[in-house]
Amino acid sequence: MTKRASSRRPAAATLAGVLDLIEPGILDVVVAPRGTEVPVSGVALYDLGDEPADGTALAGAILLAVGVDPHGPGAVEAVRAARRAGASALVLRRGAAGPDPAGPVDPAVPAAAAAGGIAVLTRRPGRGWTDVLGLLRNACAQSSPSELAAVDSLRPGDLSGLANTLADLVGGAITIEDPQSRVLAYSRMDHEPDPMRRATILNQEVPRWRVAELRESGFFRTLWATDDVVRLPADDRYAERLAIAVRDGGEVLGSIWAAADGHPLAPDAVAALRTAARAARPHLVHHETRGREEARRREEAVHTLLTGGAGAERAARTLGVHPDRPYAVIVVEAYERHPTRAAADAPTPAEQRVLDVLALQAAALRPGCVTARAGRRLFVLTPAGEAPADPARDLVATARSVPGTVVFAGVGPLAHRPAELPGAREEAEIVVRVLRERAAAAGVSVSVSASALSVDVVSEAALVRLLDRVEPLWPMAGPVHAMVEHDRLHGSEYSASVGAYLAAFGDTPAAARGLSVHPNTLRYRLRRARELFGVDLDDPTGRLLADIGLRLAHRAHE
């Protein structure tokens, strides 16, 4: 049934109204001293170590106490801090399972909440903080007043309907954009649009040169820094425009742009656009939440498809992967400095930035390309055939535009059916390991981004697999181990000398030049390595074991 527009202003959002819009079982009310009809202004992540000087910014908010132990003393302090901030409710992680919702928190929490008039809720296991944040934000937006009766009748997230409604309100042509200047919706065109509006709508984004022009002029800096309307005067090219950011708390969800549509904007267009921004907030929150959920499902499908096992067929259908079409798997690792940290480590801001850039670039490889993240890794699944012969090379070239980062990209063998994708992913990961080890061997000062196909590193990849299998069986005692440990404790150079000799195939003068020592110095070190530790380089078996041992020792200290 279509909801009839009402001229009466709806009541403000309440905690009860928000909880009614969330699936039962996700949040439990531990205590609500003032009941659940308390007004709610929004939801926020609250860092207890950075408490605001006054409570105005968080007044009425639902605060998520991320990282707070529900059984520790920090839980009680979180309740007190929420009260000082003027919040309506605090959400804690639910502790050990139990039939009583109040049991899994510190017993002092309900008493502190009652004294402060703060509702305390617990998040049940199985839903992460990111999911809960999105659910609460969406529920808050849906239960908040829209300020426009016409907007009340729109389906949540109906951005096209919203654009047309706002066009009638403002008296101009409306475009709704995301923070990256991509078009989310636009109003109907009653008159011929100016060239900029036409290009923006046709390309579904503001032309890149225009974005750069507005950024350099400081327009975007002003737009994102204010809650008010920003005016872009008319010039000899384009009509006047008004723009306003749409926010949810401190986060910018997008912007609304109004342009003259065959006649000048009305005198009250600025005031109307302010109202439009407030009315648009719940719709953009719904759009963003739905988009994040869809992106999360697609990422999970990519991971499922690349690891194989149960659910792989369904994941292929979700992603539109054709069973009779070949696909290439690319694995990318990004590092801000020398590549010594684990691939699963959380990326730094610079590494996150380059991964964002590469994910966008990967999507441009060809239609049907999908990506997924894991730590500092980006996985790219792209249809083969019309794609570049070395698709990773383009990604590395793009990565060089982000200064201070090093990127390694490996391409596995083509997978001709979905069941072959996990093997292609493993091969691509080994290619990346080979590139990373090359960089580590070359030294910090010469680490540069690189890419390779699996066919380019066959020998080195085989060695990586061999060492993977030998490593668990390798004894933690023996000649090489004793030599490496001696170097570590005494600062000697026996391991480096043996390694240089082996790398030079027994050419002592060449190995000495690589170490910047006299050949006689190297001969002395090799003789002492045999006398002290039993490392005999005259014996073929001894040379093989020394080479394997040094490679494994290098792995252990990376």
Side-chain angles (χ1 to χ4, degrees), residues 46 48-49 65-82 84 90-92 106 108-109 112:
Y46 187 37
L48 300 178
V66 178
V68 175
D69 182 357
H71 291 295
V76 174
E77 177 53 32
V79 173
R80 293 171 179 163
R84 293 192 295 270
L90 180 79
V91 183
L92 291 165
D106 189 290
V109 166

mmCIF file of all heavy atoms in Angstrom, residues 46 48-49 65-82 84 90-92 106 108-109 112:
data_model
loop_
_atom_site.group_PDB
_atom_site.id
_atom_site.type_symbol
_atom_site.label_atom_id
_atom_site.label_comp_id
_atom_site.label_asym_id
_atom_site.label_seq_id
_atom_site.Cartn_x
_atom_site.Cartn_y
_atom_site.Cartn_z
ATOM 1 N N TYR A 46 32.243 5.770 19.117
ATOM 2 C CA TYR A 46 32.734 6.699 20.131
ATOM 3 C C TYR A 46 34.065 6.227 20.676
ATOM 4 O O TYR A 46 34.167 5.120 21.217
ATOM 5 C CB TYR A 46 31.704 6.832 21.250
ATOM 6 C CG TYR A 46 32.042 7.901 22.272
ATOM 7 C CD1 TYR A 46 32.638 9.095 21.884
ATOM 8 C CD2 TYR A 46 31.752 7.713 23.610
ATOM 9 C CE1 TYR A 46 32.938 10.076 22.802
ATOM 10 C CE2 TYR A 46 32.044 8.687 24.548
ATOM 11 C CZ TYR A 46 32.642 9.866 24.141
ATOM 12 O OH TYR A 46 32.931 10.833 25.056
ATOM 13 N N LEU A 48 36.494 6.484 23.465
ATOM 14 C CA LEU A 48 36.454 6.979 24.839
ATOM 15 C C LEU A 48 37.707 7.753 25.203
ATOM 16 O O LEU A 48 37.723 8.505 26.170
ATOM 17 C CB LEU A 48 36.278 5.806 25.805
ATOM 18 C CG LEU A 48 34.993 4.992 25.600
ATOM 19 C CD1 LEU A 48 34.935 3.837 26.570
ATOM 20 C CD2 LEU A 48 33.767 5.864 25.748
ATOM 21 N N GLY A 49 38.764 7.559 24.432
ATOM 22 C CA GLY A 49 39.988 8.296 24.731
ATOM 23 C C GLY A 49 40.004 9.683 24.128
ATOM 24 O O GLY A 49 40.953 10.432 24.311
ATOM 25 N N ALA A 65 30.346 1.108 21.447
ATOM 26 C CA ALA A 65 31.584 1.028 22.232
ATOM 27 C C ALA A 65 32.480 -0.067 21.642
ATOM 28 O O ALA A 65 32.644 -1.143 22.215
ATOM 29 C CB ALA A 65 31.275 0.751 23.700
ATOM 30 N N VAL A 66 33.052 0.226 20.484
ATOM 31 C CA VAL A 66 33.898 -0.740 19.786
ATOM 32 C C VAL A 66 35.195 -0.943 20.574
ATOM 33 O O VAL A 66 35.841 0.013 20.984
ATOM 34 C CB VAL A 66 34.222 -0.251 18.366
ATOM 35 C CG1 VAL A 66 35.135 -1.236 17.649
ATOM 36 C CG2 VAL A 66 32.941 -0.036 17.580
ATOM 37 N N GLY A 67 35.556 -2.207 20.816
ATOM 38 C CA GLY A 67 36.795 -2.512 21.507
ATOM 39 C C GLY A 67 36.699 -2.494 23.017
ATOM 40 O O GLY A 67 37.699 -2.761 23.694
ATOM 41 N N VAL A 68 35.530 -2.212 23.583
ATOM 42 C CA VAL A 68 35.372 -2.180 25.039
ATOM 43 C C VAL A 68 34.986 -3.568 25.529
ATOM 44 O O VAL A 68 34.034 -4.177 25.032
ATOM 45 C CB VAL A 68 34.306 -1.145 25.454
ATOM 46 C CG1 VAL A 68 34.054 -1.205 26.960
ATOM 47 C CG2 VAL A 68 34.749 0.254 25.049
ATOM 48 N N ASP A 69 35.725 -4.073 26.515
ATOM 49 C CA ASP A 69 35.436 -5.375 27.113
ATOM 50 C C ASP A 69 34.180 -5.256 27.973
ATOM 51 O O ASP A 69 34.156 -4.487 28.937
ATOM 52 C CB ASP A 69 36.625 -5.821 27.971
ATOM 53 C CG ASP A 69 36.421 -7.202 28.594
ATOM 54 O OD1 ASP A 69 35.336 -7.793 28.406
ATOM 55 O OD2 ASP A 69 37.346 -7.679 29.270
ATOM 56 N N PRO A 70 33.116 -6.013 27.666
ATOM 57 C CA PRO A 70 31.874 -5.860 28.439
ATOM 58 C C PRO A 70 32.010 -6.303 29.890
ATOM 59 O O PRO A 70 31.166 -5.957 30.718
ATOM 60 C CB PRO A 70 30.878 -6.738 27.679
ATOM 61 C CG PRO A 70 31.721 -7.739 26.960
ATOM 62 C CD PRO A 70 32.990 -7.017 26.604
ATOM 63 N N HIS A 71 33.058 -7.078 30.203
ATOM 64 C CA HIS A 71 33.279 -7.531 31.576
ATOM 65 C C HIS A 71 34.340 -6.703 32.300
ATOM 66 O O HIS A 71 34.547 -6.868 33.497
ATOM 67 C CB HIS A 71 33.713 -9.004 31.595
ATOM 68 C CG HIS A 71 32.621 -9.944 31.193
ATOM 69 N ND1 HIS A 71 31.484 -10.116 31.927
ATOM 70 C CD2 HIS A 71 32.496 -10.758 30.117
ATOM 71 C CE1 HIS A 71 30.693 -11.007 31.337
ATOM 72 N NE2 HIS A 71 31.297 -11.406 30.218
ATOM 73 N N GLY A 72 35.028 -5.821 31.585
ATOM 74 C CA GLY A 72 36.114 -5.057 32.186
ATOM 75 C C GLY A 72 35.641 -3.742 32.772
ATOM 76 O O GLY A 72 34.500 -3.309 32.550
ATOM 77 N N PRO A 73 36.526 -3.067 33.486
ATOM 78 C CA PRO A 73 36.174 -1.767 34.068
ATOM 79 C C PRO A 73 35.858 -0.721 33.015
ATOM 80 O O PRO A 73 35.169 0.257 33.280
ATOM 81 C CB PRO A 73 37.414 -1.386 34.884
ATOM 82 C CG PRO A 73 38.535 -2.186 34.270
ATOM 83 C CD PRO A 73 37.907 -3.469 33.821
ATOM 84 N N GLY A 74 36.362 -0.922 31.794
ATOM 85 C CA GLY A 74 36.093 0.033 30.724
ATOM 86 C C GLY A 74 34.623 0.102 30.360
ATOM 87 O O GLY A 74 34.162 1.112 29.814
ATOM 88 N N ALA A 75 33.836 -0.977 30.645
ATOM 89 C CA ALA A 75 32.416 -0.962 30.314
ATOM 90 C C ALA A 75 31.672 0.076 31.151
ATOM 91 O O ALA A 75 30.839 0.824 30.643
ATOM 92 C CB ALA A 75 31.819 -2.350 30.510
ATOM 93 N N VAL A 76 31.970 0.122 32.447
ATOM 94 C CA VAL A 76 31.321 1.107 33.321
ATOM 95 C C VAL A 76 31.747 2.518 32.927
ATOM 96 O O VAL A 76 30.917 3.444 32.867
ATOM 97 C CB VAL A 76 31.658 0.824 34.798
ATOM 98 C CG1 VAL A 76 31.111 1.935 35.698
ATOM 99 C CG2 VAL A 76 31.092 -0.517 35.209
ATOM 100 N N GLU A 77 33.032 2.702 32.630
ATOM 101 C CA GLU A 77 33.509 4.014 32.216
ATOM 102 C C GLU A 77 32.864 4.429 30.895
ATOM 103 O O GLU A 77 32.578 5.606 30.664
ATOM 104 C CB GLU A 77 35.028 4.003 32.073
ATOM 105 C CG GLU A 77 35.625 5.322 31.569
ATOM 106 C CD GLU A 77 35.183 6.537 32.396
ATOM 107 O OE1 GLU A 77 34.950 6.393 33.613
ATOM 108 O OE2 GLU A 77 35.056 7.618 31.799
ATOM 109 N N ALA A 78 32.589 3.463 30.015
ATOM 110 C CA ALA A 78 31.930 3.776 28.746
ATOM 111 C C ALA A 78 30.524 4.315 28.994
ATOM 112 O O ALA A 78 30.081 5.254 28.330
ATOM 113 C CB ALA A 78 31.873 2.527 27.868
ATOM 114 N N VAL A 79 29.810 3.717 29.946
ATOM 115 C CA VAL A 79 28.463 4.195 30.278
ATOM 116 C C VAL A 79 28.530 5.624 30.804
ATOM 117 O O VAL A 79 27.751 6.496 30.400
ATOM 118 C CB VAL A 79 27.803 3.272 31.311
ATOM 119 C CG1 VAL A 79 26.474 3.862 31.785
ATOM 120 C CG2 VAL A 79 27.579 1.888 30.711
ATOM 121 N N ARG A 80 29.477 5.882 31.706
ATOM 122 C CA ARG A 80 29.597 7.224 32.281
ATOM 123 C C ARG A 80 29.981 8.250 31.215
ATOM 124 O O ARG A 80 29.475 9.378 31.200
ATOM 125 C CB ARG A 80 30.638 7.201 33.399
ATOM 126 C CG ARG A 80 30.192 6.380 34.611
ATOM 127 C CD ARG A 80 31.324 6.192 35.588
ATOM 128 N NE ARG A 80 30.907 5.431 36.762
ATOM 129 C CZ ARG A 80 31.743 4.844 37.611
ATOM 130 N NH1 ARG A 80 33.065 4.936 37.407
ATOM 131 N NH2 ARG A 80 31.274 4.171 38.639
ATOM 132 N N ALA A 81 30.884 7.872 30.327
ATOM 133 C CA ALA A 81 31.298 8.789 29.266
ATOM 134 C C ALA A 81 30.134 9.060 28.312
ATOM 135 O O ALA A 81 29.966 10.183 27.828
ATOM 136 C CB ALA A 81 32.488 8.213 28.507
ATOM 137 N N ALA A 82 29.322 8.032 28.012
ATOM 138 C CA ALA A 82 28.164 8.228 27.156
ATOM 139 C C ALA A 82 27.174 9.206 27.787
ATOM 140 O O ALA A 82 26.586 10.043 27.109
ATOM 141 C CB ALA A 82 27.485 6.889 26.881
ATOM 142 N N ARG A 84 27.978 11.635 29.908
ATOM 143 C CA ARG A 84 28.564 12.973 29.813
ATOM 144 C C ARG A 84 28.429 13.541 28.403
ATOM 145 O O ARG A 84 28.335 14.757 28.216
ATOM 146 C CB ARG A 84 30.036 12.942 30.228
ATOM 147 C CG ARG A 84 30.265 12.621 31.692
ATOM 148 C CD ARG A 84 31.715 12.885 32.091
ATOM 149 N NE ARG A 84 32.654 12.011 31.418
ATOM 150 C CZ ARG A 84 33.049 10.826 31.890
ATOM 151 N NH1 ARG A 84 32.550 10.361 33.035
ATOM 152 N NH2 ARG A 84 33.916 10.102 31.218
ATOM 153 N N LEU A 90 23.960 3.177 24.633
ATOM 154 C CA LEU A 90 25.309 2.656 24.407
ATOM 155 C C LEU A 90 25.182 1.184 24.052
ATOM 156 O O LEU A 90 24.429 0.441 24.692
ATOM 157 C CB LEU A 90 26.166 2.814 25.667
ATOM 158 C CG LEU A 90 27.612 2.307 25.569
ATOM 159 C CD1 LEU A 90 28.468 3.319 24.834
ATOM 160 C CD2 LEU A 90 28.194 2.042 26.953
ATOM 161 N N VAL A 91 25.912 0.742 23.017
ATOM 162 C CA VAL A 91 25.907 -0.654 22.599
ATOM 163 C C VAL A 91 27.254 -1.271 22.937
ATOM 164 O O VAL A 91 28.303 -0.764 22.511
ATOM 165 C CB VAL A 91 25.625 -0.800 21.087
ATOM 166 C CG1 VAL A 91 25.560 -2.272 20.697
ATOM 167 C CG2 VAL A 91 24.329 -0.107 20.721
ATOM 168 N N LEU A 92 27.237 -2.364 23.706
ATOM 169 C CA LEU A 92 28.435 -3.106 24.069
ATOM 170 C C LEU A 92 28.427 -4.460 23.370
ATOM 171 O O LEU A 92 27.369 -4.977 23.007
ATOM 172 C CB LEU A 92 28.497 -3.341 25.582
ATOM 173 C CG LEU A 92 28.726 -2.124 26.483
ATOM 174 C CD1 LEU A 92 28.392 -2.474 27.929
ATOM 175 C CD2 LEU A 92 30.174 -1.652 26.378
ATOM 176 N N ASP A 106 29.406 -6.590 32.682
ATOM 177 C CA ASP A 106 29.822 -6.385 34.062
ATOM 178 C C ASP A 106 28.594 -6.039 34.918
ATOM 179 O O ASP A 106 27.763 -5.215 34.520
ATOM 180 C CB ASP A 106 30.846 -5.242 34.111
ATOM 181 C CG ASP A 106 31.477 -5.108 35.476
ATOM 182 O OD1 ASP A 106 30.761 -4.693 36.408
ATOM 183 O OD2 ASP A 106 32.669 -5.407 35.603
ATOM 184 N N ALA A 108 28.184 -4.154 37.277
ATOM 185 C CA ALA A 108 28.084 -2.743 37.639
ATOM 186 C C ALA A 108 27.535 -1.890 36.496
ATOM 187 O O ALA A 108 27.172 -0.736 36.713
ATOM 188 C CB ALA A 108 29.462 -2.216 38.058
ATOM 189 N N VAL A 109 27.456 -2.455 35.284
ATOM 190 C CA VAL A 109 26.991 -1.675 34.138
ATOM 191 C C VAL A 109 25.535 -1.244 34.280
ATOM 192 O O VAL A 109 25.208 -0.064 34.099
ATOM 193 C CB VAL A 109 27.222 -2.458 32.820
ATOM 194 C CG1 VAL A 109 26.449 -1.829 31.666
ATOM 195 C CG2 VAL A 109 28.700 -2.503 32.491
ATOM 196 N N ALA A 112 25.252 1.640 36.758
ATOM 197 C CA ALA A 112 25.784 2.889 36.226
ATOM 198 C C ALA A 112 24.844 3.471 35.181
ATOM 199 O O ALA A 112 24.653 4.686 35.103
ATOM 200 C CB ALA A 112 27.163 2.651 35.613
#
